Every structure is written in C-alpha cells, then in structure tokens.
Amino acid sequence: MALRLVAEFDLWEDVFPWLRVQRAASAGAETPGGGADVLENNYESLRVLNIERNGNVIYTYKDNKGNVFFGLYDCQTRQNEHLYTFEKDLQVVSCSVNSERTLLAASLVQSSKEGRKNELQPGSKCLTLLVEIHPINNVKVLKAVDSYIWVQFLYPHIDSHPLRENHLLLISEEKYIEQFHIQVIQEDGNRVVIKNSGHLPRDRVAEDFVWAQWDMSEQRLYYIDLKKSRSTLKCIQFCADENFNLMFEAPLDIPLSNSVFKLVNFGCDDIQDQDKLSKYPMLCIFTNHTGSLCVCYSPKFDSWEQIMYTVFYFHKGHSKTFTAALGSADSHVTKGITFLNLDYYVAVYLPGHFFHLLNIQHPDLICHSLFLTGNNEVIDMLPHSPLQSLSGSLVLNWCSGKLYRAFLNQSYLLQFLWNTRLDCEKIAVLHCVLSCGQNPQFLEAKIIEWISENVSACHSFDLIQEFIIASSYWSIYPETSSIDKLLPCSSVLTWNAEIPGITLVTEEITLPLMKVHSFKGYWEKLNCNLEYVKYSKPQLHYNNCMVRREWHSLISEEKTGKRRSNVYVRNILDNAIKVISNLEARNLVSEPRLTPLFQEEDNHQRLLLGLMVSELKDHLLRHLQGVEKKKIEQLVLDYISKLLDLICQILETSWRKHNLHPWVLHLNRQASAAEFAVFHIMTRILEATNSLFLPLPPGFHTLHTILGVHCLPLHNLLHYIDNGVLLLTETAVMRLMKDLDNTGKNEKLKFSIIVRLPPVIGQKICRLWDHPMSSNIISRNHVKQLLQNYKKQPQSSMIDKSSFGIEFLPLNYFIATLTNIESSNQALYTFEGHDNVDAKFVEEAALKHTTMLLGL
C-alpha cells in the first residue's frame, strides 16, 4: 500500500507478556499454584493512556479487584515499569508522568457501576491527583470538580541535570487551561517530594476555547476561541523555563459552535462521547521543520455520495477545498476522515473509499498531489479503526494499542508508477518518490529505468524535463528549506486537466498575525514563509532567460571575432571546470561511465555551464538571506552537477540497456536497432533541455550527431541539422572527414555538412579532406578574403597568354586580378595556415571542379 506503517510499540506484544508474568508471580505468592490466567479475565481494561514527548507510553489496566494499575513502557530500553496503583475501582480520564518519573498526574472519575460513589472525594465527579512516585509517598489533590480534567506534563529540552521545577497543564471541560508550577526537592537520598505542596503557583494559559490540540514534540498548544461567532486559531509556545508565549492568531473560516468541546492529542479520547463527537467537524493541525502550517478540516457529512474537506495552507496564503466522490450512493460512511502527517505530505483517507496524498510543500498545482479511489486495493489495506496522528510521523491506533511510524511506501509507489495510465498520477508519484529521501540513488535509477521505457507516454508534460528539475531540486532541498522559494521544483507551470473523482476550489485566506517578533527555529521559518506570501509576487523562482541572452551574445561575438575581454570568458570557463570537477568528485564511488562524454572541450556547452553557475549564484546571493557565500557557491555547484549527472545517468542507462559499445563511434558500419533507440532518447533529452535552456555534458552533441549519421537518411539528417536538432561540433565533423571514404554517397554527405559549418570551423575542416570539393571551398574562402575590400584599378586590356596553361578568357582575367592583389600585399592576404593557397591554387581548383561537373 502507499502508506507503510512500521510498528514501534504494540500493547499486546510489548506489555501484555510482562504483565502476565508479574501478575502470575503475585497471584502465585498469594495462592500457590493459581492465578496464571487472572490477567486474561481483565484484558479488556488494558489500554494506552498517553504518549509522552520522549516516546514513553503510559498504560493502565484493572485487576480482578478493580484496582487501577499504571505502567510505563520505556521506548529506549524497551522495558516496562510499574508507576503506581490506586486501590480503588476508578476510571482513568487522563494521565501524565514527568520526565524524571518522580511525579504522576492522573485524572479519575468514579466507577461506572451504578450506585458506586467516588470514595476518594465524595460529591465530586472528577478527581485530579498529583502523586509522588519516587519513591511512592504523598498524594495531593489538585482538582475535585464536576467536569472532566485532562493533564499533561511539559517536557523541556534539558537533559543535563534534573529539573527543580516541573510544569503541568490542566485542561478543563469548562473550557480553560491552567499551568501548575511544581517545585521538588530531594530528601533522604533519592526521595523526591513536592516543595510547598499546600500552595502550588499556577497561571491561566487559555480560556473560553472550544477546541484544543497538543503538539507533544514541539511543546505547543493550539486552540480555537469564538468571539462574535468568529473562529480564531491561536498557538501557545511553551519554553524551556516557565515562560510561554502567544505566537500567532489566525482567523478560521469554519463554522464552530460553543456547544462543541474537543481535545486532540491529550491522551486517549475514551471519556469524550465518540458517537457525539463523530457528528462534529474533524479538525487537526500539522506542521513540519520547513515552516509549514496546515489546518485540516472536514465538516460533518451531509451526503453519502461525496465527502468534502478543506486544507488551510497558511504558509502559502490559500486554502483548498476538495470534494471526493464516493462512487455510489449506497456507500455508507460509518467513520470520519483520517488526517495523517507525513512530513512533506498530508495523508487523507476514508477506509474503503479513498486515499489522498496532499503535497503541502508545493500545493499550488493539484497534479502534485496523489488521489487514489476506493477501486484501488491500497484502500482496503489501511486500518479501518481510527488512527491518531501524533507529532512528526507517529501514528497511534487507540483501539489496538499500536504505535506506528508512518512512511510513504517506496516500493509500492514505484510499482504504481509503472502501472498507472494517468498523467496526473505519474507526476504526483514521481514527486512522492523523490521526496522520500531514502536511498535517492536507488530511487533515481528505478525512475530512469521507467523513463527509458515510457519516454513518450506522457502528453501533459515532458517526463525527462520533470524528472531532471524535480530530482535536482530535492537533492539540495534538505540543505536549506528556503531554497523552495528560489528554485523550481517542477517544470509544469499550469495544470488544467481534471483529476477523476476530485473537484477543487482554491481561495485566498487571511495570513496569521504573529504576536512575537523574536523568532527561532520553526517560528523563524514560518515567519519567512508568511513574509514571502505578503511581498514576493511574482515568484522568485530562478530561470535561465538571462543565461540564454548572454550565451547567444557570446556565441555571436565568437562568430564575428569581436569577443569581449579574455578575462571574462576565462572566468566563465573556470566555472564550468568547477562544475565538472565537482561532478567527478561526487561520482568517485560509482562505476565508470560507458558513454563517451566529457572527452572533448565543447566550449559552447562549457560557456553555458559557466554562465549558469554565475547567474544562479547571483540569484541566490540576492535572495537567500543568512546563508554563507561559500555554502551558496557549493549549493550552486551541487545543483548544476546534479543536472548534468541526471542527463548522464539517463543516457548511461539507455546505453547499458541496449548493450552499446565504444565502436558505435566508428562510421563505416550499419546502424543497429539499439543505436536507433539511443538516438531517440538523446533527441528527447535535447528537446527537454532546450526549452529550459539547460546545459548538456560536453561531448553530448558529438555523440548525438554521429548516431544521427548512422541512423538517418541524408535528407532527414540535413533536416535535423538545419532545424537545430543536431549541432555540428568540430570534433564530430573532423571524425566524419577522417573516417568516411570518398564514395559518391559520402562525398555528398561531407559537402552538405561542410557548407553548413561556420566559416571559421569550415576552413579548418576543409584542410582535412583531400578532395576537389574541399579545394573548391578553400578557394572560395580565399577569394572572398581577397575581394572583400578590393577596389577595381585600371588594367591593360591585354593579357599575357603565355602565363596561362589554358586559354579561357574569363578565368584568365579573374586569375590575373587575384595575382595582382596578392602581389600588392602578400602578407595580408595569405590564407592562414595554408601558404600554398594562392591564385594558382584557385585556378587549379576551378578547373578540377568544372571538369568534375562536366563529367570529363
């Protein structure tokens, strides 16, 4: 299934065997030979009460006398510990233990048996107690009221020494939250007691709220109050000391009533009437380390035909309301929607009906989220009992007593990638897999294998393009999450295609108002996200438009011989050398490449590489605040190296798949089907990179051209060259001139290519081809140079015929003119590198060419 739940704790495997041994030993001591099955008679009372910040699990059960037993499972040592036993028949509402396990807070009510009184505090419905348990000593009554109370110790990040003061939250059904400050002292060695237990200081944290959620990992309290019928979300951050701060307020456009009271993640919800609560809206809040803030909301169901839920992406400034069709009107929904936090994703599912993975880092386009319907077998594999999403990726099934760590299932997603036919699902799964972050080299290899088989399967986006951009983005994203505002994660800018079974409404929302102006950690990132939404429009995503203009300018200067200073060009080429060196360093442990890349200079691609380094570095330096220049420079090198490496990997995979060998570069042989396949994938790579103006590995165009000569008829080859699909590099053309013989077919090919070369390269290439056609081209270039500044001078009408071997007046007159020009300034007009190119050479070439044309 798409979601993989790995059990971290199982009440019946990690606790039950230990309890059974303890009870059997106790019963055996009292009545030898009996008591082995005593726990089995009370197994229904065994349940999880709370999960603390350090991962420890508190649980409870009742013995056959009704005594209430509290135990703790240490997630580090995987050992159980007895905390305390109340020798009364009571029902536990809530329980929490401090980090040193010296104090136990518990809230209890009288037994559910009719007529039974609360013997600890007559006349009260709920009793909240604070117990000294190291060793077991005093019991202090904190509250004795007619409303339910929930308790939760705070867990500050201080591990170096025991705390002298503990802080305990009390959450009342009467809609207020208090914080108790409990000082402890040590007596008689290790005996820990409460100091001044007669008067414990307290603070009122919140009041008049209708909903609250506890974030155990980050020690945050979210709650909603209603003022003038308007729902306002607030957040309290508890610090390492006794201080707490109201961090933000955010209006929520959802209908809530004063009659609603619901708590999330304050331990087990057994006390709250589940049937009653199921009729109220579902609401929960998720954050992650990147500064995201999502409020997930599902109203009560009005129809069995479709389900609606809304996600408020506060870090993006908008909300999305999803409506999912259930497929048939008789598909009755007995349970509510489940929301689970999966770091970069939120999972939304309704057992037996649908499973959605919402991309919370990039929610702008619906195609970046995955929507699976009830027809998929993955839906039925998820637990049907309610799951509670705790901090991070922890998930608790209260009914079974199992604590899971939730992951995206990479193997399932890869298999799904092969089987799906919808473009929207392909792009969504592609991003899901790449964001997993586990063994990226393996995942990229599997995706490339899929791409090589399905390169033309997507119609809504370019598959190679999307993979290169997305994978390069995710490769450096963990290093600084702020990069998501400056680098594109996708090549897809808009998506108008429908998602089957899903309708979507997007609305702008009011941003949270930050109440504290000194930010650290998560709050700094959230505030940065909010500032970006406020002021950064249009988006600051990098693109290569500046590189495109500058590159074309440099190439144009090269053709005209007016290139700017050598220092500037040398710096650009040095940037390219750094990228290639960085790429080689990253691939030291990988197997050597078979493809003949990086084996030539290819100055044009090196210019493009160097320009991209320069422009991207300037872009990040302008907008990436608080990051060292050296780190930014390394980020740029890593990002561009990754781009090149992915292109090489795609080509390498295709090369290995079709079992090509280096002799593919030899031209005097017939093309094979394998070469056709590799040529096709290279053409698709070229299309993908051209539209984004991304650099290619030096040597790519040479290999592409040589494969084109192998695979294409001459007219198709020339069409590809004229339309820029094949770029004629000096290396490729020189190989053509040397390797191909002078048969009629090859002569035609060579001439067709030479006339398409820039003059500077053409002159150099013609010297390699000992052929009348080559001499003709050299002669033309020589004549063009001589005559470009020629001014006609008066000449004698008489020509000395004795100096010419053939009596052909037009040619004789022309050669005489050239001879005159050459003699007037020999040093200036000598053809560079060819001292023997003169008027005589031109005459001989003209005669040979004429003879060849006439077939004489």
Side-chain angles (χ1 to χ4, degrees), residues 572-839:
I572 295 298
L573 293 176
D574 285 345
N575 287 339
I577 293 172
K578 291 177 184 178
V579 172
I580 294 172
S581 298
N582 189 61
L583 177 58
E584 291 173 349
R586 289 162 58 110
N587 288 294
L588 285 177
V589 295
S590 63
E591 56 184 326
R593 300 187 194 277
L594 291 179
T595 48
L597 300 175
F598 301 101
Q599 296 179 8
E600 63 178 89
E601 283 297 317
D602 198 349
N603 278 341
H604 287 184
Q605 286 306 309
R606 289 177 182 263
L607 281 175
L608 184 52
L609 265 176
L611 284 171
M612 187 173 179
V613 171
S614 180
E615 290 296 331
L616 181 55
K617 183 170 65 176
D618 290 346
H619 179 76
L620 296 186
L621 285 172
R622 279 195 302 272
H623 302 293
L624 197 58
Q625 303 299 322
V627 182
E628 295 180 357
K629 181 180 179 181
K630 184 173 288 188
K631 183 176 181 180
I632 288 178
E633 289 174 349
Q634 189 60 47
L635 277 174
V636 170
L637 291 179
D638 289 344
Y639 181 75
I640 301 177
S641 298
K642 187 67 176 181
L643 285 172
L644 283 185
D645 186 47
L646 292 170
I647 294 170
C648 292
Q649 284 187 53
I650 295 172
L651 187 53
E652 186 79 11
T653 299
S654 183
W655 192 279
R656 291 180 184 275
K657 174 186 173 184
H658 296 289
N659 199 28
L660 289 190
H661 299 280
W663 57 72
V664 70
L665 299 178
H666 297 298
L667 292 164
N668 288 316
R669 49 188 298 276
Q670 292 294 319
S672 64
E675 290 170 36
F676 274 100
V678 175
F679 176 75
H680 176 67
I681 198 79
M682 291 189 75
T683 305
R684 294 305 302 266
I685 291 172
L686 191 64
E687 290 174 359
T689 54
N690 272 353
S691 60
L692 298 176
F693 210 71
L694 298 178
L696 288 163
F700 181 94
H701 287 298
T702 294
L703 180 59
H704 194 211
T705 299
I706 291 175
L707 286 175
V709 172
H710 273 310
C711 299
L712 299 175
L714 180 60
H715 63 281
N716 285 351
L717 177 70
L718 299 179
H719 179 72
Y720 273 48
I721 293 172
D722 292 339
N723 285 277
V725 178
L726 292 175
L727 297 185
L728 297 174
T729 65
E730 185 175 330
T731 304
V733 178
M734 289 177 67
R735 187 178 288 274
L736 287 175
M737 295 300 122
K738 290 180 178 179
D739 290 0
L740 292 180
D741 56 24
N742 287 330
T743 62
K745 178 181 177 182
N746 288 343
E747 283 182 351
K748 190 174 183 181
L749 168 62
K750 289 180 179 181
F751 178 70
S752 300
I753 287 179
I754 285 177
V755 297
R756 286 168 167 79
L757 292 174
V760 175
I761 299 178
Q763 292 169 6
K764 188 184 299 184
I765 296 300
C766 284
R767 303 173 203 165
L768 302 175
W769 188 20
D770 185 16
H771 189 270
M773 194 64 69
S774 177
S775 300
N776 181 32
I777 294 171
I778 293 172
S779 300
R780 288 181 181 182
N781 290 332
H782 180 71
V783 170
K784 181 179 179 182
Q785 282 188 322
L786 291 179
L787 297 181
Q788 61 185 355
N789 296 315
Y790 171 68
K791 294 181 180 179
K792 186 175 181 181
Q793 301 292 333
Q795 293 186 14
S796 170
S797 60
M798 297 299 293
I799 297 177
D800 184 7
K801 296 182 180 180
S802 63
S803 61
F804 297 98
I806 297 179
E807 194 172 322
F808 182 30
L809 186 60
L811 178 60
N812 294 346
Y813 181 84
F814 181 61
I815 297 303
T817 303
L818 294 181
T819 304
N820 186 44
I821 296 172
E822 288 176 350
S823 61
S824 64
N825 198 338
Q826 181 68 33
L828 178 64
Y829 293 108
T830 298
F831 190 68
E832 181 182 358
H834 265 262
D835 296 335
N836 60 333
V837 179
D838 53 13

Side-chain angles (χ1 to χ4, degrees), residues 104-120:
L104 176 72
S107 186
L108 308 104
V109 297
Q110 63 185 2
S111 173
S112 59
K113 296 178 181 178
E114 293 185 8
R116 187 70 180 264
K117 299 293 185 180
N118 186 343
E119 299 178 12
L120 292 178

